[in-house]
Amino acid sequence: MSRSRARWAMSRSRTRSRAHPAARSRTRSRTRFPTRDRLRAAVAVTVGLVLTVSLAACGKAAQLGETMSVAGTHRHGPLHIGLLLPENEIVRFERFDRPLIQRRVKELCPRCTVSYSSAQHDPAAQRFQIEAMITNGIDVLILDAVDTKAVRHSVVQAHRAHVPVIAYDRVAEGPIAGYVSFDGGSVGRLQGEALLRALGPKARSSQIVMMNGSSTDPNAGWFERGARSVLQGKVKIAKSYETVGWRPENANRNMSAAIAVLGPYGIDGVLAANDGLASGVITALKAARIHPIPPVTGQDAEVAGIQRILAGEQYMTVYKPFKPEAYTAAEMAIAVGHGQSLSKITKQRVNSASARDIPAVLLEPVAVTVHNIKSTVIKDGLYRVDQICTKKYADDCRKAGLIDRDGSPHDAE
């Protein structure tokens, strides 16, 4: 649609409004959420300009417009919940977080619906997704922000449109209604303590590399502070990196740079902030033909991370049971969506860069090494033995007591 045609259409619409008092009456009946109406208009214009190449796309936009006017005007019935996750490259989001949240919503509110979008690491895409969901009449949002600062304006828009936002896993900036995550300080401390145990009495004369997460993620700083609180004064931190986008390939480049500076045998351990970064680190160590591989930490208990632990390539990971986090997010979303207090759910308060005393649930993580795989991720049903103990890792699984000589799994302790 051309701009001149759009102006003609808007002029014609204003003329019709003046000619028909009933039209003015319908407009007044929708003024309960003026911010949502203004945002709806802005997004509709944007969609109209961007999607002119497709009549079908325009048709879809029109269908959205038909459902926007009534959604969100009351919260006594079924809710329309928006779920916005930052990416789908990390296994947990698609395999655990998303289906667990959807399941819990259905258990608590069978008539409630969940709309899902992944931002694919793109802050701008996530902002548009938030605005589109508000426009489409969403009642409450569960948001895991790609960039917690960049998303602030969209969170403010949601607040003005009376759409409460539950921050999930990362505390987004702006007026959020509640927050659920794991205690990031505990995550870092578990990693630091495990690395010191792996280094043993040689820790004080050792030097390590810290492979931290993305600077746009406040959790990355939280993990790092927790780790440093344990490591400081007990081991030399020779190099420390921020890893853009939490991407393994960036961790690989950082680690290659550290090897070039410190030498292939000048690195006694690596505190990698999650399993994805650990994979990039270990690939760089292997490429430099460093053997044996020094102890490397991780987080998220990805199946590939568990397999590397069994193979002796990764020392540990931090297991964050996804079910209680996801279930708590669903429970918080339904509560605030129905206008209820979170006091019965939340026991803690946290601050963000823009808000104080945010109602929060901070869960405790668990360190996993080769010695407790069976009693943690297998016992909790995160993975089956056969998912971990593939043919490549069969011998390692036998040594760890996960399977018998014939390949049959041992029962979880």
Side-chain angles (χ1 to χ4, degrees), residues 279-294:
S279 70
V281 164
I282 292 166
T283 300
L285 293 169
K286 286 181 174 180
R289 296 180 178 164
I290 296 173
H291 184 80
I293 294 173

Side-chain angles (χ1 to χ4, degrees), residues 278-350:
S279 70
V281 164
I282 292 166
T283 300
L285 293 169
K286 286 181 174 180
R289 296 180 178 164
I290 296 173
H291 184 80
I293 294 173
V296 179
T297 68
Q299 179 187 178
D300 290 332
E302 293 183 358
V303 68
I306 299 295
Q307 289 169 333
R308 286 192 297 271
I309 290 171
L310 286 164
E313 296 178 346
Q314 183 173 325
Y315 181 70
M316 63 84 71
T317 187
V318 176
Y319 168 43
K320 300 185 296 186
F322 303 121
K323 186 175 180 179
E325 184 182 21
Y327 274 30
T328 300
E331 292 159 13
M332 292 171 78
I334 290 171
V336 298
H338 285 139
Q340 299 168 2
S341 167
L342 291 178
S343 59
K344 292 182 179 179
I345 301 174
T346 61
K347 302 300 179 186
Q348 292 136 310
R349 297 270 170 169
V350 299

Side-chain angles (χ1 to χ4, degrees), residues 95-106:
R95 182 167 181 174
F96 301 111
D97 299 83
R98 176 187 177 184
L100 285 168
I101 290 170
Q102 291 172 327
R103 182 195 306 170
R104 187 58 173 162
V105 167
K106 282 298 178 186

